């Protein structure tokens, strides 16, 4: 009681998709990426919760301001807000180049209401264009069973291949005060 368990699926790409670098017309894409350099921890948490609240994203919420600032100001970490035409943040993209020769797509998501409209494909193309930087031989990410059930099939459809699955058990973030008790898509077990 009080814990959540999920199955985590880790997925990777070992080579860039064909035609990735080819310029694609922006057309009528109603979103764009805005780089957030030296983002304040509180500002980051607001967007993180807007995007991940339905899925009980918690890992960054338990970090202190100093811990989070250290991550966000590392030059090997690239943080982007996805903004709409009104300049409202509707998504997040975080790339981590800390591993030698690899890029982890640490956080990738859109707020509820922005999903299911093809915007994720546009965002993934942009993510992969940036992730496949010089010297990168592997791009990877992970998702879990408490995340959007469309996530793993989406990643596979974009060319990622599962390479590991494991069970993760963690304290329910609603019981820690990180989210209200009615948040998320899984039942609260006290």
């Amino acid at each position: 009681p009080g814990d959540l368990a999920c199955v985590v699926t880790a997925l990777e790409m070992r080579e860039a998709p064909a035609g990735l670098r080819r310029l694609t017309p922006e057309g009528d894409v109603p979103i764009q990426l805005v780089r957030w350099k030296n983002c304040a921890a509180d500002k980051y948490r607001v967007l993180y919760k807007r995007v991940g609240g339905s899925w009980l994203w918690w890992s960054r919420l338990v970090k202190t301001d100093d811990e989070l600032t250290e991550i966000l100001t590392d030059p090997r970490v690239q943080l982007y807000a996805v903004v709409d035409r009104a300049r409202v943040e509707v998504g997040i993209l975080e790339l981590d180049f800390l591993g030698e020769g690899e890029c982890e797509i640490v956080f990738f998501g859109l707020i509820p209401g922005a999903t299911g409209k093809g915007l994720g494909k546009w965002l993934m193309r942009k993510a992969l264009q940036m992730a496949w930087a010089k010297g990168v031989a592997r791009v990877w990410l992970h998702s879990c069973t408490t995340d959007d059930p469309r996530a793993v099939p989406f990643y596979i459809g974009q060319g990622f291949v599962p390479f590991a699955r494991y069970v993760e058990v963690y304290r329910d973030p609603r019981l820690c005060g990180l989210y209200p008790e009615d948040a998320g898509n899984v039942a609260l077990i006290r």
Side-chain angles (χ1 to χ4, degrees), residues 33-97:
L33 289 176
V34 175
R35 178 87 185 263
W36 277 6
K37 286 187 175 183
N38 302 318
C39 178
D42 287 343
K43 182 178 180 178
Y44 176 90
R45 285 189 192 100
V46 168
L47 180 57
Y48 181 88
K49 287 179 86 168
R50 282 188 66 218
V51 173
S54 296
W55 315 111
L56 300 177
W57 289 6
W58 61 273
S59 64
R60 292 293 173 84
L61 300 178
V62 296
K63 296 199 176 296
T64 66
D65 284 355
D66 288 343
E67 290 169 331
L68 192 50
T69 298
E70 184 176 343
I71 293 167
L72 299 176
T73 58
D74 190 306
R76 298 167 296 173
V77 174
Q78 296 178 11
L79 174 62
Y80 297 88
V82 181
V83 298
D84 66 13
R85 289 188 175 124
R87 306 293 293 169
V88 174
E89 292 92 10
V90 297
I92 190 168
L93 172 62
E94 186 175 329
L95 304 174
D96 178 327
F97 293 91

Side-chain angles (χ1 to χ4, degrees), residues 172-188:
D172 190 322
R174 296 167 293 190
L175 295 177
C176 303
L178 299 174
Y179 288 104
E181 288 190 6
D182 62 350
N185 62 345
V186 294
L188 181 66

Side-chain angles (χ1 to χ4, degrees), residues 126-166:
K126 292 295 189 184
L128 290 173
Q129 286 173 339
M130 292 182 287
W132 283 106
K134 184 177 181 175
V136 170
R138 175 179 181 247
V139 175
W140 72 283
L141 50 75
H142 68 275
S143 187
C144 70
T145 51
T146 58
D147 206 349
D148 189 321
R150 299 171 294 179
V152 171
F154 171 79
Y155 296 139
I156 291 170
Q158 300 304 303
F160 285 91
V161 176
F163 71 91
R165 284 198 175 85
Y166 55 92

